[in-house]
Short mmCIF file of all heavy atoms in Angstrom, two decimals:
data_model
loop_
_atom_site.label_atom_id
_atom_site.label_comp_id
_atom_site.label_asym_id
_atom_site.label_seq_id
_atom_site.Cartn_x
_atom_site.Cartn_y
_atom_site.Cartn_z
N LEU A 1 207.90 36.10 133.27
CA LEU A 1 208.57 35.77 132.01
C LEU A 1 208.71 36.99 131.12
O LEU A 1 209.76 37.22 130.52
CB LEU A 1 207.80 34.65 131.28
CG LEU A 1 207.76 33.30 131.99
CD1 LEU A 1 206.85 32.34 131.21
CD2 LEU A 1 209.17 32.72 132.08
N VAL A 2 207.63 37.77 131.03
CA VAL A 2 207.66 38.99 130.22
C VAL A 2 208.68 39.96 130.77
O VAL A 2 209.45 40.57 130.04
CB VAL A 2 206.26 39.65 130.17
CG1 VAL A 2 206.35 41.00 129.48
CG2 VAL A 2 205.28 38.74 129.41
N ALA A 3 208.67 40.11 132.11
CA ALA A 3 209.64 41.02 132.75
C ALA A 3 211.07 40.58 132.55
O ALA A 3 211.95 41.38 132.26
CB ALA A 3 209.32 41.11 134.23
N ASN A 4 211.32 39.26 132.66
CA ASN A 4 212.67 38.74 132.46
C ASN A 4 213.15 38.97 131.05
O ASN A 4 214.29 39.36 130.80
CB ASN A 4 212.71 37.25 132.79
CG ASN A 4 212.71 36.97 134.27
OD1 ASN A 4 212.94 37.87 135.05
ND2 ASN A 4 212.43 35.75 134.67
N LYS A 5 212.26 38.70 130.08
CA LYS A 5 212.63 38.90 128.68
C LYS A 5 212.90 40.35 128.37
O LYS A 5 213.85 40.71 127.67
CB LYS A 5 211.58 38.34 127.74
CG LYS A 5 211.42 36.85 127.79
CD LYS A 5 210.44 36.33 126.81
CE LYS A 5 210.92 36.43 125.40
NZ LYS A 5 210.03 35.78 124.41
N ALA A 6 212.05 41.25 128.91
CA ALA A 6 212.23 42.70 128.69
C ALA A 6 213.53 43.17 129.32
O ALA A 6 214.26 43.95 128.73
CB ALA A 6 211.04 43.44 129.26
N GLN A 7 213.79 42.70 130.56
CA GLN A 7 215.01 43.08 131.24
C GLN A 7 216.26 42.59 130.49
O GLN A 7 217.25 43.31 130.34
CB GLN A 7 215.02 42.54 132.67
CG GLN A 7 216.25 42.95 133.49
CD GLN A 7 216.20 42.38 134.90
OE1 GLN A 7 215.39 41.53 135.20
NE2 GLN A 7 217.09 42.80 135.77
N PHE A 8 216.18 41.36 129.99
CA PHE A 8 217.28 40.78 129.25
C PHE A 8 217.55 41.54 127.96
O PHE A 8 218.67 41.79 127.58
CB PHE A 8 217.00 39.30 128.95
CG PHE A 8 218.13 38.59 128.29
CD1 PHE A 8 219.22 38.17 129.01
CD2 PHE A 8 218.09 38.37 126.93
CE1 PHE A 8 220.25 37.52 128.39
CE2 PHE A 8 219.13 37.73 126.30
CZ PHE A 8 220.22 37.29 127.03
N ALA A 9 216.43 41.91 127.27
CA ALA A 9 216.54 42.57 125.98
C ALA A 9 217.17 43.96 126.12
O ALA A 9 217.86 44.43 125.21
CB ALA A 9 215.18 42.65 125.30
N SER A 10 216.86 44.64 127.25
CA SER A 10 217.34 46.01 127.44
C SER A 10 218.63 46.11 128.26
O SER A 10 219.14 47.19 128.47
CB SER A 10 216.25 46.84 128.10
OG SER A 10 215.95 46.32 129.40
N ALA A 11 219.13 44.95 128.71
CA ALA A 11 220.29 44.98 129.59
C ALA A 11 221.54 45.41 128.86
O ALA A 11 221.81 45.00 127.73
CB ALA A 11 220.51 43.60 130.20
N THR A 12 222.31 46.29 129.50
CA THR A 12 223.61 46.69 128.98
C THR A 12 224.63 46.48 130.09
O THR A 12 224.42 46.94 131.20
CB THR A 12 223.60 48.16 128.55
OG1 THR A 12 222.64 48.36 127.53
CG2 THR A 12 224.98 48.58 128.05
N HIS A 13 225.73 45.82 129.75
CA HIS A 13 226.72 45.60 130.75
C HIS A 13 228.11 45.53 130.13
O HIS A 13 228.25 45.34 128.91
CB HIS A 13 226.45 44.31 131.52
CG HIS A 13 226.62 43.05 130.70
ND1 HIS A 13 225.70 42.61 129.79
CD2 HIS A 13 227.65 42.13 130.66
CE1 HIS A 13 226.12 41.51 129.21
NE2 HIS A 13 227.30 41.20 129.73
N THR A 14 229.11 45.70 130.93
CA THR A 14 230.50 45.65 130.51
C THR A 14 231.21 44.56 131.29
O THR A 14 231.02 44.45 132.52
CB THR A 14 231.21 47.00 130.74
OG1 THR A 14 230.52 48.03 130.03
CG2 THR A 14 232.66 46.93 130.27
N GLN A 15 231.99 43.74 130.60
CA GLN A 15 232.73 42.69 131.29
C GLN A 15 234.11 42.53 130.68
O GLN A 15 234.34 42.88 129.50
CB GLN A 15 231.96 41.36 131.23
CG GLN A 15 231.82 40.77 129.85
CD GLN A 15 231.07 39.47 129.84
OE1 GLN A 15 230.03 39.34 130.50
NE2 GLN A 15 231.55 38.48 129.09
N GLU A 16 235.01 42.00 131.46
CA GLU A 16 236.35 41.74 131.01
C GLU A 16 236.37 40.58 130.03
O GLU A 16 235.63 39.63 130.16
CB GLU A 16 237.25 41.43 132.22
CG GLU A 16 238.73 41.23 131.91
CD GLU A 16 239.45 42.49 131.59
OE1 GLU A 16 238.83 43.59 131.79
OE2 GLU A 16 240.62 42.44 131.19
N MET A 17 237.20 40.67 128.99
CA MET A 17 237.40 39.56 128.08
C MET A 17 237.88 38.33 128.84
O MET A 17 238.66 38.45 129.79
CB MET A 17 238.42 39.88 127.00
CG MET A 17 238.01 40.89 125.95
SD MET A 17 239.32 41.09 124.72
CE MET A 17 238.57 42.23 123.57
N ASP A 18 237.40 37.13 128.42
CA ASP A 18 237.95 35.93 129.03
C ASP A 18 239.35 35.64 128.46
O ASP A 18 239.82 36.35 127.54
CB ASP A 18 237.02 34.72 128.87
CG ASP A 18 236.77 34.36 127.42
OD1 ASP A 18 237.61 34.67 126.54
OD2 ASP A 18 235.72 33.74 127.14
N HIS A 19 240.01 34.65 129.01
CA HIS A 19 241.39 34.37 128.67
C HIS A 19 241.57 34.08 127.18
O HIS A 19 242.47 34.65 126.53
CB HIS A 19 241.89 33.18 129.50
CG HIS A 19 243.32 32.84 129.30
ND1 HIS A 19 243.75 31.85 128.46
CD2 HIS A 19 244.44 33.40 129.82
CE1 HIS A 19 245.06 31.77 128.50
NE2 HIS A 19 245.51 32.69 129.29
N MET A 20 240.71 33.23 126.61
CA MET A 20 240.85 32.87 125.21
C MET A 20 240.62 34.06 124.30
O MET A 20 241.33 34.26 123.29
CB MET A 20 239.94 31.73 124.85
CG MET A 20 240.03 31.26 123.39
SD MET A 20 239.11 29.80 122.97
CE MET A 20 240.11 28.53 123.76
N ARG A 21 239.61 34.87 124.61
CA ARG A 21 239.32 36.05 123.77
C ARG A 21 240.47 37.04 123.79
O ARG A 21 240.78 37.66 122.77
CB ARG A 21 238.02 36.70 124.27
CG ARG A 21 237.59 37.98 123.50
CD ARG A 21 237.58 37.77 122.00
NE ARG A 21 236.72 36.69 121.59
CZ ARG A 21 236.61 36.25 120.34
NH1 ARG A 21 237.34 36.80 119.39
NH2 ARG A 21 235.82 35.25 120.05
N LYS A 22 241.16 37.20 124.92
CA LYS A 22 242.33 38.07 124.99
C LYS A 22 243.43 37.56 124.08
O LYS A 22 244.10 38.33 123.38
CB LYS A 22 242.83 38.17 126.42
CG LYS A 22 241.94 38.96 127.38
CD LYS A 22 242.50 38.95 128.78
CE LYS A 22 241.59 39.72 129.73
NZ LYS A 22 242.11 39.67 131.13
N ILE A 23 243.64 36.25 124.08
CA ILE A 23 244.65 35.63 123.22
C ILE A 23 244.33 35.87 121.76
O ILE A 23 245.20 36.25 120.97
CB ILE A 23 244.79 34.13 123.50
CG1 ILE A 23 245.34 33.89 124.92
CG2 ILE A 23 245.69 33.46 122.48
CD1 ILE A 23 245.32 32.44 125.33
N ILE A 24 243.07 35.61 121.40
CA ILE A 24 242.65 35.81 120.00
C ILE A 24 242.85 37.25 119.58
O ILE A 24 243.38 37.56 118.50
CB ILE A 24 241.19 35.40 119.83
CG1 ILE A 24 241.05 33.88 120.06
CG2 ILE A 24 240.66 35.77 118.45
CD1 ILE A 24 239.62 33.42 120.17
N ALA A 25 242.40 38.17 120.42
CA ALA A 25 242.50 39.61 120.11
C ALA A 25 243.96 39.99 119.88
O ALA A 25 244.29 40.73 118.92
CB ALA A 25 241.90 40.44 121.22
N ASP A 26 244.85 39.51 120.72
CA ASP A 26 246.28 39.82 120.58
C ASP A 26 246.85 39.24 119.30
O ASP A 26 247.60 39.92 118.59
CB ASP A 26 247.05 39.29 121.80
CG ASP A 26 248.52 39.63 121.79
OD1 ASP A 26 248.86 40.84 121.81
OD2 ASP A 26 249.34 38.68 121.73
N HIS A 27 246.51 37.96 119.00
CA HIS A 27 247.03 37.33 117.79
C HIS A 27 246.53 38.01 116.53
O HIS A 27 247.29 38.22 115.56
CB HIS A 27 246.64 35.84 117.77
CG HIS A 27 247.42 35.03 118.73
ND1 HIS A 27 247.28 33.65 118.85
CD2 HIS A 27 248.38 35.37 119.63
CE1 HIS A 27 248.10 33.21 119.79
NE2 HIS A 27 248.78 34.23 120.28
N MET A 28 245.24 38.37 116.50
CA MET A 28 244.69 39.00 115.31
C MET A 28 245.33 40.38 115.08
O MET A 28 245.67 40.75 113.94
CB MET A 28 243.19 39.15 115.43
CG MET A 28 242.42 37.82 115.48
SD MET A 28 242.64 36.77 114.01
CE MET A 28 243.92 35.64 114.59
N LYS A 29 245.46 41.14 116.14
CA LYS A 29 246.07 42.48 116.06
C LYS A 29 247.52 42.38 115.60
O LYS A 29 247.97 43.14 114.73
CB LYS A 29 245.97 43.19 117.42
CG LYS A 29 246.50 44.63 117.42
CD LYS A 29 246.19 45.27 118.77
CE LYS A 29 246.68 46.72 118.82
NZ LYS A 29 248.08 46.84 118.87
N THR A 30 248.26 41.42 116.17
CA THR A 30 249.65 41.22 115.78
C THR A 30 249.77 40.83 114.33
O THR A 30 250.67 41.32 113.61
CB THR A 30 250.29 40.12 116.66
OG1 THR A 30 250.25 40.52 118.04
CG2 THR A 30 251.74 39.88 116.25
N SER A 31 248.87 39.96 113.85
CA SER A 31 248.92 39.54 112.46
C SER A 31 248.72 40.71 111.50
O SER A 31 249.43 40.85 110.50
CB SER A 31 247.88 38.47 112.20
OG SER A 31 247.93 38.01 110.87
N LEU A 32 247.73 41.56 111.77
CA LEU A 32 247.45 42.70 110.92
C LEU A 32 248.59 43.71 110.93
O LEU A 32 248.89 44.35 109.94
CB LEU A 32 246.16 43.38 111.36
CG LEU A 32 244.84 42.61 111.05
CD1 LEU A 32 243.65 43.32 111.67
CD2 LEU A 32 244.66 42.45 109.55
N GLU A 33 249.27 43.81 112.08
CA GLU A 33 250.41 44.73 112.18
C GLU A 33 251.67 44.17 111.54
O GLU A 33 252.57 44.92 111.17
CB GLU A 33 250.69 45.05 113.65
CG GLU A 33 249.60 45.87 114.34
CD GLU A 33 249.84 46.03 115.82
OE1 GLU A 33 250.72 45.29 116.36
OE2 GLU A 33 249.19 46.87 116.46
N THR A 34 251.73 42.83 111.40
CA THR A 34 252.93 42.17 110.87
C THR A 34 252.89 41.97 109.37
O THR A 34 253.85 42.33 108.66
CB THR A 34 253.12 40.81 111.56
OG1 THR A 34 253.21 40.97 112.98
CG2 THR A 34 254.40 40.12 111.05
N SER A 35 251.81 41.37 108.87
CA SER A 35 251.73 40.99 107.47
C SER A 35 251.08 42.07 106.61
O SER A 35 250.21 42.82 107.09
CB SER A 35 250.94 39.69 107.32
OG SER A 35 251.59 38.63 107.96
N ALA A 36 251.48 42.12 105.36
CA ALA A 36 250.83 42.98 104.37
C ALA A 36 249.73 42.16 103.70
O ALA A 36 249.95 41.43 102.73
CB ALA A 36 251.83 43.47 103.33
N HIS A 37 248.51 42.22 104.28
CA HIS A 37 247.40 41.36 103.83
C HIS A 37 246.88 41.78 102.45
O HIS A 37 246.57 42.95 102.20
CB HIS A 37 246.25 41.44 104.83
CG HIS A 37 246.44 40.62 106.06
ND1 HIS A 37 247.39 40.90 107.00
CD2 HIS A 37 245.81 39.47 106.49
CE1 HIS A 37 247.33 40.01 108.00
NE2 HIS A 37 246.37 39.14 107.69
N VAL A 38 246.75 40.79 101.57
CA VAL A 38 246.09 40.93 100.30
C VAL A 38 245.20 39.74 100.09
O VAL A 38 245.51 38.63 100.52
CB VAL A 38 247.12 41.02 99.13
CG1 VAL A 38 246.40 41.16 97.78
CG2 VAL A 38 248.07 42.21 99.34
#
């Protein structure tokens, strides 16, 4: 248990965005590029 928690706490990994996160990222970026936010 201690080893698992330590491994989990120190783990670093890279993964591809899932489908929904890609959509959100695209929409948010597009909105900031399109509108003059105030």
